[in-house]
Amino acid sequence: MASCPPSPAASERRHSGWLALVLVALIAAVASAAAVSTWRVYGHTWDEPEHLAAGLELLDRGRYEYDVQHPPLGRVLIALGPYLAGARSLGMPPPDGTPEGVRILYGSGHYDLYLRLARLGTLPFLSVLLLGAWLWASRVAASRTEAVLAVALLAATPPVIGHAALATLDVPAAATTLLALYALQRWVLDGRWRNAVALGSAGGLAVATKLSAVLFLGVGLVALATAHYVLGIHCARRLGVARLVDATGARARLLELCVIALMAAVAVEVAYGAHWVSAGDALARLFGAGVAVPAWLSRLPVPDGWVKLWEAVRAVEWHNAVGHESFLLGDVRRSGWWYFYPVALGAKTPLPLLIAGPVGLALLARAGWQQGNRWRLAPPLLFVCLLGAASLVSHINIGVRHILILYPLLALGAAHALASAWRWLRQLADRDVAGIGASLVAGLVAWQLSTLYTAAPDYLPYFNEAIAHPERVLVDSDLAWGQDLRRLEARLAELRVPRFSFAYLGTADLTRETFPPLTRLPPGQPTTGWVAITEMARVHSLSGYAWLDAYTPVERIGKSISLYFIPPPDDDASSP
């Protein structure tokens, strides 16, 4: 068993080289092109109009009132392109910005332009996410090839590509949080002012993008700091030396924490627009108009962004307390399930990554403990802790998108498992066994990378091959987020359907789409003729649309809409 090194720095492996960086850049370009390829297929999804409206309100009016549980950084980038192209805030009443976002998209005659520009605002975060994975892999991997492989495996993960293609906050949140976790690990291991500044800036950007960063960074801080302390004791015992606490070091860390908090606060305030309000107004917004405030305190100016961030935290707490209606394995609940995210990962993750990832994380955990290598111990520790925290804390179970941060960690594990297996096979004396093993390893890599082709363009509703009926497992943003309306329009035109009934749940303005005459189909009202139903509408009223179970769909439109022809009662033999 290898002995522990005396310091974390002695165990770090840094891999560089122009060729590796060029490969990472090419991988990012291919992944971005795959994401862009979906734009011509998909109309807007459920959340995109509200994100657009909120960002435009801040850019155009200097106000931020729509769905305040989400901070503004990602939304401003979503709205920037449409704003420069002429889109403006309409000033509709808050707090729901979806009606305004829908009117902005449809009302100007620039639907495609505004939607693509909005999506362009978040697309660079896919490259940022891959860069974050590269930074982690450069510290964790045993070779430069293994580090590049980790980035490639992540880039070939359909849920990541699917959400990177949308004007939503999930990939931006995963990207900024991954970079902040990297900065956090550097600060935990080495301290130093520059690391504190980097952590404060990265952490502030992550929190200003999505509030899930508060949970993930908080859990990450506890996990990484605890691992650093415990591993230090473990290594000291094995080396037969005492582990001393340096009071000066402790004081320096406290000062660095102040720097981290200050940098994060500045980043948040800038994201919200850098406005100031009186303390009296701030306290009244947070605690009600009747709160007693001394006169001297009431006039004190405070950053408005900090107040709005606290309002966002309270909004998320309320949302989590009341829950969110969601679907899992045939059941609909508001309170969620502790096992939602493990099931979602198991269903939405490509099988090669699902097989190799946990194995590699276990190998990294063992190597990190035996070698005293805190960088190698970090990915498995973070994976377990972040998944556990999300599963135990969150009652808003509406998609694997909320835990995209786990995919870079899983890719690090998978690359390590596959590269370790390859190195071991090359040392075998039995060349036949080595050849078979090498073929299996290469096959897993090829299988994972091929999902960029086989899943296209349906990266968003992707489920792995083990899931025969995705609609029985997950729906919402994992399968049916409103993305297939354009496909339905095209298919109805090809079939020359004169009119149809539509069971739809989403944020599109159906009167502005190019459908034939339609009738909205409410639950519990069987009808005849052409009928289309989205999986979102079906699962949110399972009994109301159970009458459709007696019929076989004419076809599936995309991955999320079923199209039926229901013959009249006196014409059962008729067909479309």
Side-chain angles (χ1 to χ4, degrees):
M1 182 180 294
S3 63
C4 293
S7 69
S11 69
E12 294 175 2
R13 291 174 176 263
R14 302 184 181 185
H15 308 293
S16 59
W18 287 108
L19 178 58
L21 292 175
V22 168
L23 289 175
V24 169
L26 288 174
I27 291 169
V30 170
S32 298
V36 169
S37 71
T38 69
W39 294 356
R40 61 181 175 78
V41 180
Y42 292 153
H44 75 265
T45 54
W46 191 298
D47 285 1
E48 289 177 287
E50 186 156 51
H51 293 318
L52 173 61
L56 272 177
E57 186 191 34
L58 186 56
L59 286 175
D60 191 24
R61 299 173 180 267
R63 305 176 69 176
Y64 195 73
E65 302 170 309
Y66 296 131
D67 187 27
V68 297
Q69 65 182 312
H70 294 302
L73 179 59
R75 288 171 152 184
V76 167
L77 295 175
I78 286 169
L80 182 59
Y83 177 77
L84 294 176
R88 292 296 182 266
S89 176
L90 303 177
M92 296 180 68
D96 184 6
T98 300
E100 170 155 328
V102 170
R103 284 187 59 184
I104 291 169
L105 284 173
Y106 286 100
S108 63
H110 299 297
Y111 179 95
D112 288 330
L113 174 64
Y114 286 172
L115 184 59
R116 290 181 180 183
L117 289 174
R119 290 172 172 176
L120 185 63
T122 59
L123 182 65
F125 284 99
L126 175 57
S127 296
V128 175
L129 182 66
L130 297 176
L131 172 63
W134 165 253
L135 292 175
W136 273 99
S138 297
R139 300 276 187 162
V140 170
S143 69
R144 192 176 303 149
T145 301
E146 182 181 322
V148 173
L149 177 61
V151 177
L153 295 177
L154 176 60
T157 302
V160 172
I161 301 299
H163 286 285
L166 305 179
T168 54
L169 305 180
D170 302 295
V171 166
T176 53
T177 302
L178 184 65
L179 287 179
L181 287 171
Y182 177 80
L184 173 62
Q185 174 73 335
R186 291 189 62 180
W187 177 75
V188 166
L189 296 188
D190 300 331
R192 301 180 183 176
W193 294 105
R194 65 184 182 187
N195 291 337
V197 171
L199 173 56
S201 302
L205 291 175
V207 172
T209 301
K210 198 169 184 181
L211 282 183
S212 58
V214 175
L215 173 64
F216 291 148
L217 292 178
V219 171
L221 174 60
V222 173
L224 295 176
T226 301
H228 178 53
Y229 178 78
V230 171
L231 200 57
I233 294 176
H234 171 68
C235 290
R237 286 177 178 173
R238 291 175 59 182
L239 295 172
V241 298
R243 190 178 190 278
L244 302 177
V245 178
D246 185 355
T248 303
R251 287 194 296 270
R253 285 301 179 103
L254 288 176
L255 291 174
E256 290 165 5
L257 277 173
C258 294
V259 171
I260 291 168
L262 177 61
M263 296 300 300
V266 170
V268 168
E269 178 61 22
V270 170
Y272 275 102
H275 300 298
W276 293 77
V277 295
S278 69
D281 290 342
L283 292 172
R285 283 161 52 187
L286 294 176
F287 303 106
V291 63
V293 183
W296 66 269
L297 179 60
S298 178
R299 294 189 296 270
L300 187 70
V302 296
D304 188 40
W306 301 0
V307 180
K308 288 180 177 177
L309 182 67
W310 184 247
E311 290 176 327
V313 170
R314 293 177 61 182
V316 171
E317 288 178 341
W318 174 85
H319 191 181
N320 196 51
V322 301
H324 193 109
E325 192 170 90
S326 51
F327 174 87
L328 178 67
L329 299 173
D331 189 17
V332 177
R333 295 184 189 175
R334 290 197 67 86
S335 58
W337 304 260
W338 69 264
Y339 51 87
F340 178 89
Y341 291 117
V343 171
L345 274 178
K348 297 283 290 179
T349 304
L351 290 178
L353 190 61
L354 194 62
I355 293 168
V359 174
L361 289 175
L363 292 175
L364 285 173
R366 185 183 67 175
W369 182 256
Q370 291 179 347
Q371 301 167 5
N373 189 318
R374 291 156 176 82
W375 280 102
R376 288 191 168 181
L377 189 60
L381 183 63
L382 287 173
F383 183 88
V384 171
C385 292
L386 298 186
L387 177 58
S391 299
L392 296 176
V393 171
S394 177
H395 299 294
I396 308 172
N397 295 161
I398 50 177
V400 76
R401 62 191 177 96
H402 287 169
I403 54 168
L404 291 181
I405 185 63
L406 298 182
Y407 278 119
L409 305 175
L410 205 57
L412 290 173
H416 185 68
L418 294 168
S420 297
W422 186 269
R423 288 190 293 267
W424 178 75
L425 289 166
R426 291 183 62 185
Q427 298 174 1
L428 284 182
D430 190 330
R431 304 318 300 164
D432 291 335
V433 173
I436 294 173
S439 297
L440 291 174
V441 170
L444 284 174
V445 173
W447 184 3
Q448 173 72 19
L449 298 182
S450 71
T451 58
L452 274 181
Y453 174 78
T454 58
D458 289 307
Y459 302 115
L460 179 70
Y462 170 86
F463 282 74
N464 64 43
E465 293 83 351
I467 309 300
H469 298 283
E471 69 278 2
R472 300 177 186 175
V473 182
L474 298 165
V475 182
D476 211 289
S477 58
D478 291 313
L479 178 66
W481 220 14
Q483 73 273 7
D484 283 324
L485 285 190
R486 287 183 171 181
R487 285 170 159 171
L488 179 62
E489 291 171 352
R491 187 58 179 147
L492 292 178
E494 290 174 358
L495 294 172
R496 299 186 178 182
V497 172
R499 62 180 59 249
F500 75 112
S501 300
F502 195 16
Y504 171 74
L505 192 60
T507 58
D509 183 352
L510 299 184
T511 65
R512 304 296 295 270
E513 298 288 344
T514 58
F515 287 122
L518 67 88
T519 301
R520 295 296 291 266
L521 182 62
Q525 294 188 16
T527 188
T528 59
W530 288 97
V531 173
I533 182 171
T534 67
E535 287 301 331
M536 180 75 85
R538 188 192 294 268
V539 302
H540 282 275
S541 184
L542 290 171
S543 60
Y545 295 110
W547 62 272
L548 282 169
D549 295 341
Y551 302 93
T552 301
V554 173
E555 60 184 281
R556 188 80 161 179
I557 308 298
K559 300 291 184 179
S560 66
I561 301 176
S562 295
L563 181 63
Y564 295 83
F565 183 80
I566 312 297
D570 58 348
D571 191 19
D572 291 339
S574 65
S575 65

